[in-house]
Amino acid sequence: MSRPTRVAFVSLGCAKNLVDSEKMLGQLAEAGCHITADESQADVVVVNTCGFLSAARDEALETISGVVELKKTHRLRRVVVAGCLVQRDGESLLGQVDGVDALVGVNNREDVVRAVLAGGEKRRKRRQRADLHLGDYYPRVDDDTARLRITPRHYAYLRIGEGCDQKCTFCTIPSIRGPMHCKPPQAIVAEARELVSDGAVEINLIGQDTTSYGLDIGYEPGLAGLLRQLDSVDGISWLRLMYAYPSIFSDEMIDAMADCERVVKYVDLPLQHVNDRVLKAMHRRVDRASTERLLERIRQRIPGVSMRTTMIVGFPGETDAEFDELVEFVRAFKFDALGVFAYSLEPDTPAGRMKGQLPDDVKEQRVEALMLAQQEVAFSLADGRVGQTLDVLVEGPPQEGLVPARHQGQAPEVDSVTWLETRGSAAGQLEEDALAPGSLVAVRCTGRRDYDLTAVPTTLALPVIR
Ligand code: SF4
């Protein structure tokens, strides 16, 4: 009896790619593969790549080269590369890095088992072609059930749609993931129930543009209707909306977020810029005035809402005055969290062909200046929370006596955390159980550590919303 194939998996990029990784892991486990976290013990390593920015390409190529090295020193006999970089570069990827045995495109996920289990012996000669699973261009609605989850049990990502129809001039994602294609609402509700039965109490709704949910499948209630459906799924304590798009964020969606008990008071709304000329050049379909009206409506309708956004600095032609306007806006509006990216010239995008490309040092200076402005905002907002009582979700075991947790305004992996000061061993088992990962606990905020909060539990365990 030959032993099961040992497979290690490297998942790069965003939460949508992570869902693909979890799905492929589920298929490999179902096919009898033994999943190992130790690449040096693996027969096959799968690298699920990100490819939407040049920096992501560099990271992917470096990771793949590192894995291929293992062939020389360990039992590793096969390297399978999947994901967005494969979709973007296709077969030409084989010319950029040596030692790859198979390529799996984003729409050929189902082929990962064949790609992993093919061709036992190590590739000997350079001319031996890699196996290509690249065929399907037009994306179909993915069935993301039966995943082998990589996230901690207590939270999960639920992808409600893939692809995008927005066509921002700097973005390669539509050319990689195709036009928007959403899952039917009943499939999403079923997937949410599966994730809950697998231990998730927090469900993070993701997509490239979640606010366009349902447009391509004629689901008229749209995102608002979906939120109200998911609000009836027992076992979800926190339902979080991520990757919203400003131009179509309707009052119905805001009302649904305000009305639904399980929907957390949190909005992730990438704005990318605020200056009218730059927004137009980015093809963002909004201007400053409509952006400000939307943000005010959300704050009025959802008191205490936490808002996260992302901004791109150094877009072609961005003048000092336009950048200063962005900094002044960030200072004035006070986002709870802000991601800042230097514009990345992607040759196969309209913005990549624009005049007025800025030098890297100017972009880096602007990233730093905007991050500094946001730091002042974030620190003062955090200081303003001292003394507040918050509901937090315990994230993991204690680290140096402090238990990591998140309040509703802190999304997993991208935002700050709340460190719980515990009484440690003096408190005994009761506290330890009550502060187990995935527990919901009421705490009083006691202070700030950089961007993070510190807090003490006020009650040991909160009732979970059933
Ligand atoms: S909304 Fe714009 S930035 Fe986001 S995925 Fe779509 S095209 Fe890209």
Side-chain angles (χ1 to χ4, degrees):
M1 278 286 292
S2 67
R3 63 169 177 70
T5 299
R6 288 198 179 105
V7 181
F9 211 100
V10 181
S11 185
L12 302 174
C14 68
K16 285 121 343 188
N17 226 28
L18 185 116
V19 170
D20 279 337
S21 297
E22 294 180 337
K23 179 65 184 181
M24 287 189 267
L25 279 163
Q27 291 167 280
L28 291 164
E30 223 169 286
C33 294
H34 171 84
I35 309 300
T36 173
D38 181 353
E39 289 164 18
S40 69
Q41 293 306 311
D43 304 305
V44 182
V45 172
V46 180
V47 181
N48 190 21
T49 61
C50 171
F52 89 116
L53 290 178
S54 310
R57 170 184 286 112
D58 299 343
E59 182 200 18
L61 293 176
E62 199 184 311
T63 305
I64 297 165
S65 306
V67 167
V68 167
E69 276 306 300
L70 290 175
K71 279 183 171 180
K72 298 183 185 129
T73 53
H74 292 76
R75 69 173 62 204
L76 183 64
R77 57 181 170 76
R78 215 166 154 73
V79 175
V80 175
V81 178
C84 292
L85 186 57
V86 173
Q87 197 67 27
R88 187 174 180 183
D89 290 5
E91 210 173 334
S92 76
L93 190 55
L94 299 175
Q96 298 171 52
V97 59
D98 257 349
V100 172
D101 298 282
L103 295 178
V104 179
V106 294
N107 302 314
N108 295 75
R109 239 178 20 175
E110 273 63 36
D111 298 343
V112 71
V113 174
R114 270 198 299 139
V116 162
L117 297 181
E121 74 289 335
K122 277 188 182 172
R123 271 170 38 129
R124 299 264 172 269
K125 304 179 192 60
R126 193 171 167 67
R127 63 181 176 283
Q128 189 168 350
R129 272 176 57 79
D131 303 330
L132 303 179
H133 303 271
L134 298 175
D136 301 11
Y137 169 70
Y138 194 82
R140 57 191 171 283
V141 176
D142 296 311
D143 161 18
D144 292 331
T145 57
R147 286 185 250 164
L148 189 58
R149 289 203 288 123
I150 300 175
T151 58
R153 284 174 61 76
H154 59 271
Y155 76 81
Y157 294 106
L158 201 173
R159 175 169 45 189
I160 64 175
E162 194 40 277
C164 186
D165 294 341
Q166 297 296 350
K167 297 191 174 44
C168 304
T169 55
F170 53 82
C171 185
T172 58
I173 292 171
S175 66
I176 295 172
R177 292 281 182 173
M180 188 177 69
H181 46 293
C182 295
K183 291 174 185 167
Q186 61 278 16
I188 293 172
V189 171
E191 193 177 330
R193 291 210 168 92
E194 181 184 280
L195 293 169
V196 166
S197 62
D198 187 38
V201 293
E202 177 186 11
I203 302 276
N204 301 285
L205 301 180
I206 60 172
Q208 304 299 347
D209 159 18
T210 50
T211 27
S212 293
Y213 177 74
L215 291 178
D216 65 310
I217 55 175
Y219 177 67
E220 276 170 30
L223 178 65
L226 180 66
L227 290 174
R228 293 185 190 280
Q229 283 207 40
L230 288 167
D231 196 42
S232 65
V233 175
D234 286 346
I236 298 178
S237 294
W238 286 3
L239 191 59
R240 185 185 307 277
L241 177 68
M242 305 198 73
Y243 303 99
Y245 191 85
S247 70
I248 38 187
F249 206 136
S250 67
D251 287 347
E252 291 75 20
M253 294 172 192
I254 300 173
D255 290 343
M257 292 188 73
D259 300 344
C260 293
E261 191 180 341
R262 298 173 203 274
V263 175
V264 295
K265 298 181 181 331
Y266 178 92
V267 175
D268 168 39
L269 182 67
L271 294 173
Q272 312 303 8
H273 214 285
V274 77
N275 168 268
D276 288 350
R277 187 202 67 79
V278 178
L279 285 168
K280 195 156 189 291
M282 287 178 164
H283 192 242
R284 291 290 290 174
R285 303 167 195 257
V286 288
D287 58 15
R288 178 167 181 161
S290 59
T291 299
E292 290 181 327
R293 283 195 301 274
L294 169 63
L295 297 173
E296 287 316 321
R297 282 208 316 278
I298 293 172
R299 278 192 166 159
Q300 272 154 17
R301 188 71 181 82
I302 313 174
V305 66
S306 297
M307 300 193 80
R308 167 184 187 82
T309 192
T310 57
M311 297 292 186
I312 294 176
V313 299
F315 188 79
E318 184 190 58
T319 63
D320 291 348
E322 289 164 347
F323 175 67
D324 294 345
E325 180 187 349
L326 180 61
V327 174
E328 167 267 322
F329 173 75
V330 162
R331 283 190 197 288
F333 189 81
K334 299 189 182 329
F335 292 97
D336 298 84
L338 173 74
V340 181
F341 296 91
Y343 167 73
S344 173
L345 192 163
E346 302 301 326
D348 43 359
T349 62
R353 296 184 286 277
M354 285 179 187
K355 292 196 177 63
Q357 301 288 338
L358 300 179
D360 287 348
D361 59 342
V362 172
K363 293 183 209 172
E364 277 141 31
Q365 284 158 12
R366 290 182 180 177
V367 167
E368 203 170 320
L370 190 56
M371 286 301 288
L372 271 178
Q374 174 60 20
Q375 189 183 68
E376 286 168 34
V377 170
F379 285 6
S380 75
L381 290 174
D383 291 337
R385 285 198 181 272
V386 174
Q388 284 183 6
T389 297
L390 302 165
D391 304 339
V392 298
L393 181 62
V394 175
E395 274 280 71
Q399 297 170 25
E400 293 159 16
L402 294 173
V403 174
R406 288 182 287 112
H407 63 76
Q408 291 197 357
Q410 297 169 315
E413 297 172 46
V414 290
D415 290 335
S416 58
V417 299
T418 301
W419 295 99
L420 308 187
E421 293 149 353
T422 65
R423 293 168 292 160
S425 54
Q429 197 55 41
L430 188 63
E431 183 179 83
E432 203 170 311
D433 295 348
L435 294 179
S439 308
L440 284 164
V441 180
V443 303
R444 182 173 47 72
C445 181
T446 55
R448 173 179 63 79
R449 283 169 29 139
D450 276 340
Y451 291 91
D452 297 340
L453 298 176
T454 58
V456 289
T458 55
T459 64
L460 283 187
L462 276 179
V464 174
I465 304 173
R466 287 271 169 239

